[in-house]
PDB file of all heavy atoms in Angstrom:
ATOM      1  N   ALA A  73      79.789  48.610 191.943  1.00  0.00           N
ATOM      2  CA  ALA A  73      79.210  48.180 190.657  1.00  0.00           C
ATOM      3  C   ALA A  73      79.544  46.714 190.469  1.00  0.00           C
ATOM      4  O   ALA A  73      80.653  46.289 190.858  1.00  0.00           O
ATOM      5  CB  ALA A  73      79.789  49.006 189.544  1.00  0.00           C
ATOM      6  N   ARG A  74      78.640  46.014 189.882  1.00  0.00           N
ATOM      7  CA  ARG A  74      78.880  44.581 189.674  1.00  0.00           C
ATOM      8  C   ARG A  74      78.383  44.169 188.286  1.00  0.00           C
ATOM      9  O   ARG A  74      77.268  44.550 187.881  1.00  0.00           O
ATOM     10  CB  ARG A  74      78.136  43.756 190.738  1.00  0.00           C
ATOM     11  CG  ARG A  74      78.389  42.268 190.656  1.00  0.00           C
ATOM     12  CD  ARG A  74      77.531  41.585 191.721  1.00  0.00           C
ATOM     13  NE  ARG A  74      77.670  40.137 191.623  1.00  0.00           N
ATOM     14  CZ  ARG A  74      78.500  39.387 192.302  1.00  0.00           C
ATOM     15  NH1 ARG A  74      79.286  39.946 193.181  1.00  0.00           N
ATOM     16  NH2 ARG A  74      78.561  38.082 192.117  1.00  0.00           N
ATOM     17  N   GLY A  75      79.231  43.447 187.597  1.00  0.00           N
ATOM     18  CA  GLY A  75      78.795  42.904 186.304  1.00  0.00           C
ATOM     19  C   GLY A  75      78.424  41.465 186.522  1.00  0.00           C
ATOM     20  O   GLY A  75      77.398  41.196 187.235  1.00  0.00           O
ATOM     21  N   ALA A  76      79.187  40.512 186.055  1.00  0.00           N
ATOM     22  CA  ALA A  76      78.901  39.110 186.267  1.00  0.00           C
ATOM     23  C   ALA A  76      79.508  38.539 187.506  1.00  0.00           C
ATOM     24  O   ALA A  76      79.271  37.431 187.915  1.00  0.00           O
ATOM     25  CB  ALA A  76      79.373  38.291 185.067  1.00  0.00           C
ATOM     26  N   GLY A  77      80.344  39.360 188.187  1.00  0.00           N
ATOM     27  CA  GLY A  77      80.920  38.875 189.384  1.00  0.00           C
ATOM     28  C   GLY A  77      81.958  37.811 189.161  1.00  0.00           C
ATOM     29  O   GLY A  77      82.146  36.897 190.011  1.00  0.00           O
ATOM     30  N   THR A  78      82.693  37.846 188.089  1.00  0.00           N
ATOM     31  CA  THR A  78      83.748  36.861 187.831  1.00  0.00           C
ATOM     32  C   THR A  78      85.142  37.370 188.189  1.00  0.00           C
ATOM     33  O   THR A  78      86.138  36.699 187.923  1.00  0.00           O
ATOM     34  CB  THR A  78      83.756  36.396 186.369  1.00  0.00           C
ATOM     35  OG1 THR A  78      84.122  37.501 185.534  1.00  0.00           O
ATOM     36  CG2 THR A  78      82.382  35.853 185.890  1.00  0.00           C
ATOM     37  N   SER A  79      85.209  38.552 188.769  1.00  0.00           N
ATOM     38  CA  SER A  79      86.512  39.091 189.111  1.00  0.00           C
ATOM     39  C   SER A  79      87.294  38.098 189.926  1.00  0.00           C
ATOM     40  O   SER A  79      86.760  37.475 190.836  1.00  0.00           O
ATOM     41  CB  SER A  79      86.350  40.393 189.938  1.00  0.00           C
ATOM     42  OG  SER A  79      87.583  40.775 190.505  1.00  0.00           O
ATOM     43  N   LEU A  80      88.589  38.024 189.646  1.00  0.00           N
ATOM     44  CA  LEU A  80      89.411  37.074 190.352  1.00  0.00           C
ATOM     45  C   LEU A  80      90.270  37.728 191.455  1.00  0.00           C
ATOM     46  O   LEU A  80      91.085  37.096 192.110  1.00  0.00           O
ATOM     47  CB  LEU A  80      90.351  36.341 189.353  1.00  0.00           C
ATOM     48  CG  LEU A  80      89.582  35.395 188.417  1.00  0.00           C
ATOM     49  CD1 LEU A  80      90.468  34.998 187.240  1.00  0.00           C
ATOM     50  CD2 LEU A  80      89.089  34.161 189.128  1.00  0.00           C
ATOM     51  N   GLY A  83      87.423  42.162 193.141  1.00  0.00           N
ATOM     52  CA  GLY A  83      86.968  43.467 192.661  1.00  0.00           C
ATOM     53  C   GLY A  83      85.486  43.706 192.892  1.00  0.00           C
ATOM     54  O   GLY A  83      85.062  44.843 193.134  1.00  0.00           O
ATOM     55  N   ALA A  84      84.685  42.651 192.839  1.00  0.00           N
ATOM     56  CA  ALA A  84      83.229  42.869 192.965  1.00  0.00           C
ATOM     57  C   ALA A  84      82.702  42.498 194.358  1.00  0.00           C
ATOM     58  O   ALA A  84      81.479  42.534 194.602  1.00  0.00           O
ATOM     59  CB  ALA A  84      82.535  42.039 191.875  1.00  0.00           C
ATOM     60  N   LEU A  95      74.630  45.553 187.106  1.00  0.00           N
ATOM     61  CA  LEU A  95      74.346  46.099 185.792  1.00  0.00           C
ATOM     62  C   LEU A  95      73.757  45.058 184.832  1.00  0.00           C
ATOM     63  O   LEU A  95      73.708  45.301 183.604  1.00  0.00           O
ATOM     64  CB  LEU A  95      75.635  46.725 185.219  1.00  0.00           C
ATOM     65  CG  LEU A  95      76.099  48.096 185.715  1.00  0.00           C
ATOM     66  CD1 LEU A  95      74.977  49.093 185.724  1.00  0.00           C
ATOM     67  CD2 LEU A  95      76.736  48.008 187.103  1.00  0.00           C
ATOM     68  N   PRO A 115      76.707  48.207 179.718  1.00  0.00           N
ATOM     69  CA  PRO A 115      77.770  47.549 180.472  1.00  0.00           C
ATOM     70  C   PRO A 115      77.463  46.096 180.814  1.00  0.00           C
ATOM     71  O   PRO A 115      78.358  45.264 181.039  1.00  0.00           O
ATOM     72  CB  PRO A 115      77.924  48.368 181.754  1.00  0.00           C
ATOM     73  CG  PRO A 115      76.624  49.068 181.862  1.00  0.00           C
ATOM     74  CD  PRO A 115      76.121  49.320 180.487  1.00  0.00           C
ATOM     75  N   PRO A 137      88.501  37.648 177.222  1.00  0.00           N
ATOM     76  CA  PRO A 137      88.869  36.894 178.429  1.00  0.00           C
ATOM     77  C   PRO A 137      88.353  35.443 178.352  1.00  0.00           C
ATOM     78  O   PRO A 137      87.339  35.214 177.708  1.00  0.00           O
ATOM     79  CB  PRO A 137      88.160  37.667 179.533  1.00  0.00           C
ATOM     80  CG  PRO A 137      87.413  38.801 178.914  1.00  0.00           C
ATOM     81  CD  PRO A 137      87.717  38.834 177.485  1.00  0.00           C
ATOM     82  N   ALA A 138      89.080  34.567 178.983  1.00  0.00           N
ATOM     83  CA  ALA A 138      88.654  33.154 178.961  1.00  0.00           C
ATOM     84  C   ALA A 138      87.267  33.013 179.575  1.00  0.00           C
ATOM     85  O   ALA A 138      86.551  32.046 179.290  1.00  0.00           O
ATOM     86  CB  ALA A 138      89.680  32.341 179.747  1.00  0.00           C
ATOM     87  N   SER A 139      86.851  34.012 180.339  1.00  0.00           N
ATOM     88  CA  SER A 139      85.492  34.014 180.953  1.00  0.00           C
ATOM     89  C   SER A 139      84.460  34.669 180.047  1.00  0.00           C
ATOM     90  O   SER A 139      83.374  35.061 180.514  1.00  0.00           O
ATOM     91  CB  SER A 139      85.553  34.752 182.269  1.00  0.00           C
ATOM     92  OG  SER A 139      86.181  36.032 182.074  1.00  0.00           O
ATOM     93  N   CYS A 143      81.434  36.912 181.536  1.00  0.00           N
ATOM     94  CA  CYS A 143      81.763  38.207 182.052  1.00  0.00           C
ATOM     95  C   CYS A 143      81.184  39.313 181.184  1.00  0.00           C
ATOM     96  O   CYS A 143      80.854  39.107 180.042  1.00  0.00           O
ATOM     97  CB  CYS A 143      83.290  38.384 182.182  1.00  0.00           C
ATOM     98  SG  CYS A 143      84.136  38.509 180.623  1.00  0.00           S
ATOM     99  N   THR A 144      81.009  40.491 181.813  1.00  0.00           N
ATOM    100  CA  THR A 144      80.344  41.593 181.093  1.00  0.00           C
ATOM    101  C   THR A 144      81.391  42.593 180.601  1.00  0.00           C
ATOM    102  O   THR A 144      82.499  42.664 181.117  1.00  0.00           O
ATOM    103  CB  THR A 144      79.376  42.372 182.039  1.00  0.00           C
ATOM    104  OG1 THR A 144      80.161  42.977 183.087  1.00  0.00           O
ATOM    105  CG2 THR A 144      78.364  41.443 182.676  1.00  0.00           C
ATOM    106  N   GLY A 146      81.146  45.780 180.930  1.00  0.00           N
ATOM    107  CA  GLY A 146      81.318  46.728 182.052  1.00  0.00           C
ATOM    108  C   GLY A 146      82.408  46.235 182.998  1.00  0.00           C
ATOM    109  O   GLY A 146      83.265  47.003 183.429  1.00  0.00           O
ATOM    110  N   GLY A 147      82.340  44.956 183.315  1.00  0.00           N
ATOM    111  CA  GLY A 147      83.379  44.360 184.211  1.00  0.00           C
ATOM    112  C   GLY A 147      84.745  44.379 183.583  1.00  0.00           C
ATOM    113  O   GLY A 147      85.776  44.570 184.217  1.00  0.00           O
ATOM    114  N   ASN A 148      84.764  44.177 182.244  1.00  0.00           N
ATOM    115  CA  ASN A 148      86.034  44.240 181.493  1.00  0.00           C
ATOM    116  C   ASN A 148      86.635  45.626 181.608  1.00  0.00           C
ATOM    117  O   ASN A 148      87.842  45.785 181.657  1.00  0.00           O
ATOM    118  CB  ASN A 148      85.808  43.905 180.009  1.00  0.00           C
ATOM    119  CG  ASN A 148      85.320  42.482 179.755  1.00  0.00           C
ATOM    120  OD1 ASN A 148      84.831  42.220 178.663  1.00  0.00           O
ATOM    121  ND2 ASN A 148      85.394  41.604 180.720  1.00  0.00           N
ATOM    122  N   GLY A 150      86.110  47.669 184.101  1.00  0.00           N
ATOM    123  CA  GLY A 150      86.602  47.760 185.484  1.00  0.00           C
ATOM    124  C   GLY A 150      87.985  47.221 185.653  1.00  0.00           C
ATOM    125  O   GLY A 150      88.839  47.837 186.279  1.00  0.00           O
ATOM    126  N   GLU A 151      88.234  46.056 185.047  1.00  0.00           N
ATOM    127  CA  GLU A 151      89.521  45.375 185.273  1.00  0.00           C
ATOM    128  C   GLU A 151      90.518  45.563 184.128  1.00  0.00           C
ATOM    129  O   GLU A 151      91.621  45.021 184.208  1.00  0.00           O
ATOM    130  CB  GLU A 151      89.264  43.847 185.474  1.00  0.00           C
ATOM    131  CG  GLU A 151      88.251  43.476 186.559  1.00  0.00           C
ATOM    132  CD  GLU A 151      88.818  43.716 187.955  1.00  0.00           C
ATOM    133  OE1 GLU A 151      89.894  44.352 188.083  1.00  0.00           O
ATOM    134  OE2 GLU A 151      88.176  43.280 188.945  1.00  0.00           O
ATOM    135  N   ALA A 153      90.355  44.112 181.242  1.00  0.00           N
ATOM    136  CA  ALA A 153      90.515  42.698 180.992  1.00  0.00           C
ATOM    137  C   ALA A 153      91.336  42.389 179.743  1.00  0.00           C
ATOM    138  O   ALA A 153      91.284  43.174 178.774  1.00  0.00           O
ATOM    139  CB  ALA A 153      89.141  41.999 180.876  1.00  0.00           C
ATOM    140  N   GLY A 154      92.053  41.316 179.775  1.00  0.00           N
ATOM    141  CA  GLY A 154      92.786  40.828 178.591  1.00  0.00           C
ATOM    142  C   GLY A 154      92.174  39.497 178.168  1.00  0.00           C
ATOM    143  O   GLY A 154      91.035  39.165 178.518  1.00  0.00           O
ATOM    144  N   GLU A 203      88.874  49.702 188.359  1.00  0.00           N
ATOM    145  CA  GLU A 203      88.241  48.740 189.243  1.00  0.00           C
ATOM    146  C   GLU A 203      87.002  49.266 189.965  1.00  0.00           C
ATOM    147  O   GLU A 203      86.795  48.988 191.138  1.00  0.00           O
ATOM    148  CB  GLU A 203      89.277  48.200 190.234  1.00  0.00           C
ATOM    149  CG  GLU A 203      90.525  47.668 189.489  1.00  0.00           C
ATOM    150  CD  GLU A 203      91.451  46.838 190.403  1.00  0.00           C
ATOM    151  OE1 GLU A 203      90.973  46.337 191.397  1.00  0.00           O
ATOM    152  OE2 GLU A 203      92.634  46.711 190.056  1.00  0.00           O
ATOM    153  N   GLY A 204      86.197  49.985 189.251  1.00  0.00           N
ATOM    154  CA  GLY A 204      84.969  50.477 189.815  1.00  0.00           C
ATOM    155  C   GLY A 204      85.087  51.495 190.935  1.00  0.00           C
ATOM    156  O   GLY A 204      84.130  51.736 191.676  1.00  0.00           O
ATOM    157  N   GLY A 207      83.594  55.545 189.389  1.00  0.00           N
ATOM    158  CA  GLY A 207      82.260  55.814 188.894  1.00  0.00           C
ATOM    159  C   GLY A 207      81.679  54.547 188.303  1.00  0.00           C
ATOM    160  O   GLY A 207      82.253  53.454 188.404  1.00  0.00           O
ATOM    161  N   ILE A 208      80.501  54.669 187.688  1.00  0.00           N
ATOM    162  CA  ILE A 208      79.821  53.501 187.145  1.00  0.00           C
ATOM    163  C   ILE A 208      79.612  53.728 185.645  1.00  0.00           C
ATOM    164  O   ILE A 208      79.041  54.730 185.220  1.00  0.00           O
ATOM    165  CB  ILE A 208      78.488  53.241 187.822  1.00  0.00           C
ATOM    166  CG1 ILE A 208      78.796  53.013 189.311  1.00  0.00           C
ATOM    167  CG2 ILE A 208      77.784  52.067 187.195  1.00  0.00           C
ATOM    168  CD1 ILE A 208      77.576  52.689 190.098  1.00  0.00           C
ATOM    169  N   VAL A 209      80.108  52.833 184.820  1.00  0.00           N
ATOM    170  CA  VAL A 209      79.963  52.902 183.405  1.00  0.00           C
ATOM    171  C   VAL A 209      78.532  52.480 183.007  1.00  0.00           C
ATOM    172  O   VAL A 209      78.092  51.402 183.419  1.00  0.00           O
ATOM    173  CB  VAL A 209      80.958  52.002 182.652  1.00  0.00           C
ATOM    174  CG1 VAL A 209      80.780  52.115 181.175  1.00  0.00           C
ATOM    175  CG2 VAL A 209      82.344  52.346 183.069  1.00  0.00           C
ATOM    176  N   ILE A 330      90.524  26.115 183.739  1.00  0.00           N
ATOM    177  CA  ILE A 330      90.318  26.559 185.115  1.00  0.00           C
ATOM    178  C   ILE A 330      89.138  25.834 185.763  1.00  0.00           C
ATOM    179  O   ILE A 330      89.217  25.403 186.913  1.00  0.00           O
ATOM    180  CB  ILE A 330      90.131  28.085 185.121  1.00  0.00           C
ATOM    181  CG1 ILE A 330      91.469  28.751 184.706  1.00  0.00           C
ATOM    182  CG2 ILE A 330      89.762  28.609 186.513  1.00  0.00           C
ATOM    183  CD1 ILE A 330      91.404  30.200 184.382  1.00  0.00           C
ATOM    184  N   HIS A 375      98.957  33.081 179.593  1.00  0.00           N
ATOM    185  CA  HIS A 375      99.207  33.801 178.357  1.00  0.00           C
ATOM    186  C   HIS A 375     100.704  33.922 178.200  1.00  0.00           C
ATOM    187  O   HIS A 375     101.278  34.970 178.558  1.00  0.00           O
ATOM    188  CB  HIS A 375      98.546  35.166 178.424  1.00  0.00           C
ATOM    189  CG  HIS A 375      97.112  35.124 178.902  1.00  0.00           C
ATOM    190  ND1 HIS A 375      96.124  34.369 178.251  1.00  0.00           N
ATOM    191  CD2 HIS A 375      96.455  35.713 179.962  1.00  0.00           C
ATOM    192  CE1 HIS A 375      94.962  34.531 178.873  1.00  0.00           C
ATOM    193  NE2 HIS A 375      95.133  35.317 179.920  1.00  0.00           N
ATOM    194  N   GLU A 419      95.959  41.430 184.146  1.00  0.00           N
ATOM    195  CA  GLU A 419      94.584  41.620 183.660  1.00  0.00           C
ATOM    196  C   GLU A 419      93.514  41.424 184.730  1.00  0.00           C
ATOM    197  O   GLU A 419      92.367  41.761 184.496  1.00  0.00           O
ATOM    198  CB  GLU A 419      94.294  40.640 182.522  1.00  0.00           C
ATOM    199  CG  GLU A 419      94.691  39.189 182.838  1.00  0.00           C
ATOM    200  CD  GLU A 419      94.447  38.219 181.626  1.00  0.00           C
ATOM    201  OE1 GLU A 419      94.491  38.672 180.505  1.00  0.00           O
ATOM    202  OE2 GLU A 419      94.207  37.058 181.935  1.00  0.00           O
ATOM    203  N   HIS A 420      93.848  40.871 185.881  1.00  0.00           N
ATOM    204  CA  HIS A 420      92.776  40.622 186.875  1.00  0.00           C
ATOM    205  C   HIS A 420      92.595  41.749 187.868  1.00  0.00           C
ATOM    206  O   HIS A 420      91.650  41.793 188.603  1.00  0.00           O
ATOM    207  CB  HIS A 420      93.056  39.336 187.659  1.00  0.00           C
ATOM    208  CG  HIS A 420      93.011  38.120 186.750  1.00  0.00           C
ATOM    209  ND1 HIS A 420      93.473  36.877 187.210  1.00  0.00           N
ATOM    210  CD2 HIS A 420      92.649  37.924 185.498  1.00  0.00           C
ATOM    211  CE1 HIS A 420      93.371  36.008 186.219  1.00  0.00           C
ATOM    212  NE2 HIS A 420      92.869  36.602 185.179  1.00  0.00           N
ATOM    213  N   ASN A 469      83.310  51.365 195.488  1.00  0.00           N
ATOM    214  CA  ASN A 469      84.151  50.189 195.747  1.00  0.00           C
ATOM    215  C   ASN A 469      85.238  50.395 196.814  1.00  0.00           C
ATOM    216  O   ASN A 469      86.411  50.307 196.502  1.00  0.00           O
ATOM    217  CB  ASN A 469      84.765  49.729 194.402  1.00  0.00           C
ATOM    218  CG  ASN A 469      84.924  48.211 194.375  1.00  0.00           C
ATOM    219  OD1 ASN A 469      84.585  47.508 195.329  1.00  0.00           O
ATOM    220  ND2 ASN A 469      85.451  47.681 193.271  1.00  0.00           N
TER     221      ASN A 469
HETATM  222  C1  FAD C 601      87.275  31.065 184.715  1.00  0.00           C
HETATM  223  C2  FAD C 601      87.699  32.484 184.616  1.00  0.00           C
HETATM  224  C3  FAD C 601      88.544  32.873 183.622  1.00  0.00           C
HETATM  225  C4  FAD C 601      88.966  34.190 183.469  1.00  0.00           C
HETATM  226  N1  FAD C 601      89.763  34.546 182.453  1.00  0.00           N
HETATM  227  C5  FAD C 601      90.170  35.838 182.300  1.00  0.00           C
HETATM  228  C6  FAD C 601      91.003  36.231 181.254  1.00  0.00           C
HETATM  229  O1  FAD C 601      91.422  35.442 180.387  1.00  0.00           O
HETATM  230  N2  FAD C 601      91.371  37.547 181.161  1.00  0.00           N
HETATM  231  C7  FAD C 601      90.955  38.444 182.051  1.00  0.00           C
HETATM  232  O2  FAD C 601      91.280  39.590 181.941  1.00  0.00           O
HETATM  233  N3  FAD C 601      90.130  38.102 183.087  1.00  0.00           N
HETATM  234  C8  FAD C 601      89.735  36.802 183.217  1.00  0.00           C
HETATM  235  N4  FAD C 601      88.934  36.490 184.259  1.00  0.00           N
HETATM  236  C9  FAD C 601      88.519  37.496 185.264  1.00  0.00           C
HETATM  237  C10 FAD C 601      87.196  38.192 184.999  1.00  0.00           C
HETATM  238  O3  FAD C 601      86.370  37.425 184.215  1.00  0.00           O
HETATM  239  C11 FAD C 601      87.411  39.552 184.395  1.00  0.00           C
HETATM  240  O4  FAD C 601      88.090  40.385 185.323  1.00  0.00           O
HETATM  241  C12 FAD C 601      86.128  40.275 183.952  1.00  0.00           C
HETATM  242  O5  FAD C 601      86.528  41.459 183.277  1.00  0.00           O
HETATM  243  C13 FAD C 601      85.160  40.589 185.043  1.00  0.00           C
HETATM  244  O6  FAD C 601      83.925  40.888 184.477  1.00  0.00           O
HETATM  245  P1  FAD C 601      82.584  40.823 185.327  1.00  0.00           P
HETATM  246  O7  FAD C 601      81.446  41.231 184.501  1.00  0.00           O
HETATM  247  O8  FAD C 601      82.472  39.520 185.958  1.00  0.00           O
HETATM  248  O9  FAD C 601      82.869  41.955 186.398  1.00  0.00           O
HETATM  249  P2  FAD C 601      82.719  41.905 187.948  1.00  0.00           P
HETATM  250  O10 FAD C 601      83.521  40.789 188.540  1.00  0.00           O
HETATM  251  O11 FAD C 601      81.330  41.967 188.349  1.00  0.00           O
HETATM  252  O12 FAD C 601      83.404  43.270 188.333  1.00  0.00           O
HETATM  253  C14 FAD C 601      84.775  43.459 188.119  1.00  0.00           C
HETATM  254  C15 FAD C 601      85.184  44.875 188.543  1.00  0.00           C
HETATM  255  O13 FAD C 601      84.598  45.814 187.677  1.00  0.00           O
HETATM  256  C16 FAD C 601      83.789  46.713 188.375  1.00  0.00           C
HETATM  257  N5  FAD C 601      82.588  46.965 187.500  1.00  0.00           N
HETATM  258  C17 FAD C 601      81.751  46.070 187.046  1.00  0.00           C
HETATM  259  N6  FAD C 601      80.858  46.690 186.272  1.00  0.00           N
HETATM  260  C18 FAD C 601      81.141  47.987 186.266  1.00  0.00           C
HETATM  261  C19 FAD C 601      80.539  49.136 185.697  1.00  0.00           C
HETATM  262  N7  FAD C 601      79.459  49.067 184.945  1.00  0.00           N
HETATM  263  N8  FAD C 601      81.116  50.351 185.947  1.00  0.00           N
HETATM  264  C20 FAD C 601      82.248  50.449 186.703  1.00  0.00           C
HETATM  265  N9  FAD C 601      82.857  49.416 187.253  1.00  0.00           N
HETATM  266  C21 FAD C 601      82.278  48.192 187.055  1.00  0.00           C
HETATM  267  C22 FAD C 601      83.455  46.055 189.652  1.00  0.00           C
HETATM  268  O14 FAD C 601      83.195  46.918 190.683  1.00  0.00           O
HETATM  269  C23 FAD C 601      84.710  45.261 189.928  1.00  0.00           C
HETATM  270  O15 FAD C 601      85.679  46.067 190.490  1.00  0.00           O
HETATM  271  C24 FAD C 601      88.498  35.150 184.387  1.00  0.00           C
HETATM  272  C25 FAD C 601      87.638  34.791 185.444  1.00  0.00           C
HETATM  273  C26 FAD C 601      87.236  33.471 185.541  1.00  0.00           C
HETATM  274  C27 FAD C 601      86.265  33.100 186.655  1.00  0.00           C
END
Side-chain angles (χ1 to χ4, degrees):
Chain A
R74 183 183 175 96
T78 65
S79 168
L80 292 166
L95 284 309
S139 52
C143 70
T144 65
N148 297 163
E151 304 289 10
E203 308 193 21
I208 300 182
V209 180
I330 294 168
H375 313 302
E419 51 181 27
H420 297 169
N469 213 359

